[in-house]
Amino acid sequence: MSSKILIIGACGQIGSELTYKLREIHGDDNVIASDISYNNLGIVNSGIFEIIDAMDYKSILVCVEKHKIDTIYLMAAMLSATGEKYPMKAWDLNMTSLFHVLDLAKAKFIKKVFWPSSIAVFGPSTPKENTPQYTTMEPTTVYGITKQVGERWCEYYNEKYDVDVRSIRYPGIISWKTLPGGGTTDYAVEIYHKALEESKYECFLSEKTALPMLFMDDAIKATVDIMEAKPEAIKIRSSYNLSGISFTPEEIALSIQKHIPDFKMSYNPDFRQKIADSWPKSIDDTQAREQWNWKHSFDLEAITKEMLTQLKATKK
Ligand code: AKB
């Protein structure tokens, strides 16, 4: 019998592409997209869509029972930059929604949970290069705190209540279909839009700020792969380090200039610089590679080529 999946936060950057991919794999009728409002018509039109407030346990439960859901992907969250503007809202949304979904699994309404963590779990005292899976973690953003605490709760629910929860520490995700919102790594998507529209971009991070990044296709593949892996393969029930590539704003600008020679980059770092400076520059993801065969495909040159080609086609 095919799995019945609910995606909470399906209109966001990762949620939307995950919805398309899971519908391709499991069929439109088996993947229910949901969000707090109808703000992504593509998702709404391609299959079943429900309005769900991730903070409201009842609204999730009603949908789970109505569609006989067995698996939830909880993609709703407030990201790092917006979280610093609204710390208590970020705490409330990120923690309350996680407890709702973990509790549904604990009560056996559902069987499996995917919950995204982030490189934001790390902080200034974490080793910056090749950051290991197990290391000092003292996050300084509210978003990072919610992700670190969330990881502890995921592991706790797995150990105490046998909840099958799986998680990845996403780096910055680069995609062309849906814009990211409220993150510190968002510049790496905005830059491609501005390069095509105006041949220039003012970056809110400084030129030498290296951060771990991943192309959306790789991020979706990792998400699908970890959820399809046998439970015995998933030895880490907090969250897995996941690495693709790392680059600086200066390096992404250079890769764009190979396609758009008159592209100009300027730098005007704002409050997001401090957040970026607290995060790793590169990630060691040995456990994900060894335990469930994770492997990325896209390097910076391939990402730039794909982003410019796809965006050019959509902007025509
Ligand atoms: C953010 O920048 O807040 C996110 C993340 C790295 O989790 N993209």
Side-chain angles (χ1 to χ4, degrees):
M1 213 179 78
S2 194
S3 187
K4 272 271 189 171
I5 294 168
L6 171 63
I7 301 171
I8 301 176
C11 294
Q13 187 201 14
I14 306 177
S16 56
E17 301 225 18
L18 190 60
T19 304
Y20 289 121
K21 183 46 131 194
L22 291 174
R23 283 184 174 161
E24 209 177 285
I25 298 172
H26 300 276
D28 283 358
D29 294 347
N30 291 319
V31 180
I32 315 313
S34 77
D35 213 304
I36 194 153
S37 63
Y38 299 96
N39 57 6
N40 190 329
L41 280 176
I43 295 290
V44 179
N45 290 338
S46 74
I48 305 166
F49 184 87
E50 299 276 3
I51 294 284
I52 287 185
D53 176 355
M55 304 267 285
D56 177 9
Y57 182 81
K58 197 79 193 287
S59 82
I60 309 175
L61 178 60
V62 165
C63 180
V64 164
E65 292 196 306
K66 176 176 166 193
H67 295 285
K68 303 195 172 25
I69 300 294
D70 55 58
T71 302
I72 293 184
Y73 291 72
L74 174 56
M75 308 311 286
M78 194 180 286
L79 300 187
S80 57
T82 311
E84 291 312 284
K85 291 186 186 150
Y86 310 103
M88 283 322 292
K89 271 193 187 163
W91 173 259
D92 277 349
L93 170 63
N94 295 1
M95 297 315 301
T96 306
S97 57
L98 175 61
F99 278 119
H100 287 346
V101 173
L102 289 176
D103 283 334
L104 282 168
K106 179 185 168 192
K108 311 282 179 226
F109 286 108
I110 55 170
K111 293 193 183 119
K112 223 186 206 182
V113 174
F114 178 81
W115 175 76
S117 185
S118 160
I119 54 163
V121 292
F122 300 115
S125 55
T126 302
K128 291 241 176 285
E129 305 279 356
N130 262 327
T131 302
Q133 174 71 37
Y134 301 107
T135 184
T136 310
M137 293 159 89
E138 294 182 311
T140 48
T141 61
V142 175
Y143 173 64
I145 294 169
T146 64
K147 291 298 177 186
Q148 194 200 20
V149 174
E151 285 190 9
R152 297 290 85 229
W153 278 109
C154 286
E155 193 179 279
Y156 188 89
Y157 270 66
N158 174 260
E159 279 186 10
K160 298 272 175 198
Y161 311 124
D162 203 24
V163 166
D164 187 356
V165 53
R166 304 169 185 212
S167 176
I168 285 170
R169 290 172 182 155
Y170 287 130
I173 309 290
I174 303 170
S175 64
W176 56 270
K177 281 190 195 143
T178 308
L179 282 168
T184 303
T185 56
D186 294 7
Y187 91 87
V189 177
E190 286 168 13
I191 191 172
Y192 290 107
H193 288 264
K194 293 284 180 192
L196 287 169
E197 287 159 10
E198 300 171 20
S199 277
K200 62 177 187 195
Y201 180 62
E202 185 179 272
C203 187
F204 57 74
L205 298 182
S206 69
E207 57 201 296
K208 303 281 183 210
T209 310
L211 284 171
M213 301 275 181
L214 198 59
F215 192 51
M216 180 62 88
D217 296 32
D218 280 333
I220 297 297
K221 184 180 177 304
T223 310
V224 169
D225 286 356
I226 194 175
M227 287 299 273
E228 283 182 354
K230 292 207 164 67
E232 319 80 80
I234 308 301
K235 303 201 188 310
I236 296 173
R237 294 298 182 151
S238 51
S239 190
Y240 278 91
N241 270 10
L242 194 82
S243 156
I245 51 169
S246 286
F247 57 78
T248 62
E250 190 178 44
E251 286 164 342
I252 193 173
L254 281 172
S255 89
I256 292 174
Q257 278 157 356
K258 288 183 192 156
H259 302 263
I260 306 174
D262 64 342
F263 174 68
K264 299 242 171 345
M265 181 89 148
S266 56
Y267 300 91
N268 187 10
D270 65 15
F271 72 101
R272 289 168 280 194
Q273 182 66 46
K274 200 165 166 213
I275 301 177
D277 287 341
S278 77
W279 289 352
K281 293 180 190 299
S282 59
I283 299 284
D284 175 358
D285 59 358
T286 306
Q287 282 85 350
R289 289 183 191 257
E290 285 179 0
Q291 293 173 18
W292 45 275
N293 302 320
W294 157 245
K295 196 164 160 289
H296 75 282
S297 301
F298 286 79
D299 62 12
L300 179 55
E301 294 314 317
I303 293 175
T304 295
K305 197 161 164 247
E306 186 70 4
M307 286 296 286
L308 294 176
T309 309
Q310 298 293 353
L311 286 177
K312 223 182 263 172
T314 59
K315 284 179 196 297
K316 265 185 192 154

